[in-house]
Amino acid sequence: MSKPILNVFLADDDSDDRTFFSDALREIPIQTKISEFNNGVDLMAELLSDTAAQPDVIFLDLKMPMMDGFECLADIRDLEKFTDIPVIIYSTSYHPKEIDRLEEMGASLYLQKPSSYNQLKTLLHKCLRYVKNTEGNIIDKEFVISI
């Protein structure tokens, strides 16, 4: 029996960051399929599409054009069918007031973008282990995931 594949959505306007993320994701020991979006508008269009496969987790950059991560998170959490999908904020910024606001808005985790590739692999693995454990298992977690 094959392992289930996690369907990962990533919204980030920086193509280098998307490539860095995708490459790191392929190297961790959890099978994934990634769909990349370069802004929140395209992400929301895919989420609202009748034909799209629903993601198991959404990684969301905060600073994007057209629709930023705050707006995107609010729209995702306003729709009942996405209530249980983990949304992980994936950003270089680290402002405690913003982080508190994101947690209150319903973000599942806050992942600060690390500077090294190996750190990113470690942090993504930690995030995806959290996602895989959300099916009924109570685990103690930190909201902010960082090195």
Side-chain angles (χ1 to χ4, degrees):
M1 189 163 146
S2 66
K3 295 179 191 172
I5 296 174
L6 284 179
N7 192 17
V8 176
F9 279 19
L10 169 65
D12 191 330
D13 62 310
D14 185 316
S15 63
D16 290 339
D17 282 354
R18 286 195 313 271
T19 299
F20 196 55
F21 183 100
S22 295
D23 289 348
L25 198 59
R26 277 191 278 281
E27 291 190 26
I28 64 173
I30 295 174
Q31 285 193 303
T32 58
K33 174 186 177 281
I34 186 165
S35 299
E36 297 179 15
F37 306 90
N38 62 9
N39 61 64
V41 173
D42 291 346
L43 169 69
M44 290 307 300
E46 182 71 13
L47 286 172
L48 296 172
S49 162
D50 291 335
T51 58
Q54 292 302 308
D56 294 304
V57 60
I58 300 168
F59 285 86
L60 191 57
D61 185 29
L62 279 185
K63 313 291 187 213
M64 294 184 290
M66 297 194 284
M67 177 184 248
D68 69 20
F70 288 100
E71 295 168 306
C72 219
L73 177 63
D75 284 358
I76 292 167
R77 290 303 182 225
D78 279 347
L79 296 165
E80 191 174 322
K81 71 179 188 174
F82 303 128
T83 305
D84 296 331
I85 295 175
V87 177
I88 299 173
I89 304 302
Y90 178 62
S91 182
T92 53
S93 69
Y94 189 90
H95 303 289
K97 285 184 181 179
E98 281 185 352
I99 292 168
D100 290 345
R101 181 174 160 217
L102 290 161
E103 189 170 18
E104 288 169 12
M105 290 174 68
S108 305
L109 298 171
Y110 185 94
L111 171 58
Q112 188 173 13
K113 291 180 183 179
S115 55
S116 89
Y117 186 72
N118 284 333
Q119 288 174 341
L120 179 59
K121 286 193 321 188
T122 299
L123 295 176
L124 286 177
H125 193 218
K126 190 173 187 179
C127 287
L128 293 183
R129 281 196 328 260
Y130 161 75
V131 169
K132 287 181 71 157
N133 283 330
T134 57
E135 291 101 29
N137 297 337
I138 305 296
I139 60 169
D140 189 27
K141 71 168 177 77
E142 296 288 322
F143 181 66
V144 176
I145 305 294
S146 63
I147 292 292

Coordinates of all heavy atoms in Angstrom, one line a residue, residues 12 25-27 57 61-62 64 70 83 125 135-136:
D12 N 3.2 32.4 -3.1 CA 4.4 33.3 -2.8 C 4.7 34.0 -4.1 O 4.9 33.4 -5.2 CB 5.6 32.5 -2.3 CG 6.7 33.3 -1.8 OD1 6.9 34.4 -2.2 OD2 7.4 32.8 -0.9
L25 N 11.0 20.7 -0.4 CA 9.9 19.8 -0.2 C 10.1 18.4 -0.8 O 9.7 17.4 -0.2 CB 8.6 20.4 -0.7 CG 7.3 19.9 -0.3 CD1 7.1 20.1 1.2 CD2 6.2 20.7 -1.0
R26 N 10.7 18.4 -1.9 CA 11.0 17.1 -2.6 C 12.0 16.2 -1.8 O 12.0 15.0 -2.0 CB 11.5 17.3 -4.0 CG 10.4 17.6 -5.0 CD 10.9 17.5 -6.4 NE 11.5 18.8 -6.9 CZ 10.8 19.9 -7.3 NH1 9.5 19.8 -7.3 NH2 11.4 21.0 -7.6
E27 N 12.8 16.9 -1.0 CA 13.8 16.1 -0.3 C 13.5 15.6 1.1 O 14.3 15.0 1.7 CB 15.1 17.0 -0.2 CG 15.8 17.2 -1.6 CD 17.1 17.8 -1.5 OE1 17.8 17.7 -0.4 OE2 17.5 18.5 -2.5
V57 N -2.8 21.2 2.9 CA -2.2 22.3 3.6 C -1.9 23.5 2.6 O -1.6 23.2 1.4 CB -0.9 21.9 4.3 CG1 0.1 21.3 3.3 CG2 -0.3 23.0 5.2
D61 N 2.5 33.2 1.8 CA 3.4 34.3 2.0 C 2.5 35.5 2.4 O 1.4 35.7 2.0 CB 4.1 34.7 0.7 CG 5.2 35.8 0.9 OD1 5.7 35.9 2.1 OD2 5.5 36.4 -0.1
L62 N 3.0 36.4 3.3 CA 2.3 37.6 3.7 C 2.3 38.7 2.7 O 1.3 39.4 2.5 CB 2.8 38.1 5.1 CG 2.4 37.4 6.3 CD1 2.9 38.1 7.5 CD2 0.9 37.3 6.4
M64 N 2.4 39.9 -0.7 CA 2.1 39.6 -2.1 C 1.3 40.7 -2.7 O 0.5 41.4 -2.0 CB 1.3 38.3 -2.2 CG 2.1 37.0 -1.8 SD 1.1 35.5 -2.1 CE -0.2 35.7 -0.9
F70 N -2.8 38.4 4.6 CA -3.8 38.6 5.6 C -5.2 38.5 4.9 O -6.1 37.9 5.5 CB -3.7 40.0 6.2 CG -2.5 40.2 7.2 CD1 -1.3 40.7 6.8 CD2 -2.6 39.7 8.5 CE1 -0.3 40.9 7.6 CE2 -1.6 39.9 9.4 CZ -0.4 40.4 8.9
T83 N -12.4 25.3 6.6 CA -12.2 25.4 8.0 C -11.1 24.5 8.6 O -10.3 24.9 9.4 CB -13.5 25.2 8.8 OG1 -14.5 26.0 8.3 CG2 -13.3 25.4 10.3
H125 N 9.7 19.8 7.1 CA 9.4 18.5 7.6 C 8.6 18.6 8.9 O 7.6 17.9 9.2 CB 10.7 17.7 7.8 CG 10.5 16.2 8.1 ND1 11.2 15.5 9.0 CD2 9.6 15.4 7.6 CE1 10.8 14.3 9.0 NE2 9.8 14.2 8.1
E135 N -5.2 14.9 12.1 CA -6.3 14.1 12.0 C -6.7 13.4 13.4 O -6.5 12.2 13.5 CB -6.2 13.0 10.9 CG -6.2 13.5 9.5 CD -4.7 13.6 9.0 OE1 -3.9 12.8 9.4 OE2 -4.5 14.5 8.1
G136 N -7.1 14.2 14.3 CA -7.6 13.7 15.6 C -6.6 13.5 16.7 O -6.9 13.3 17.8

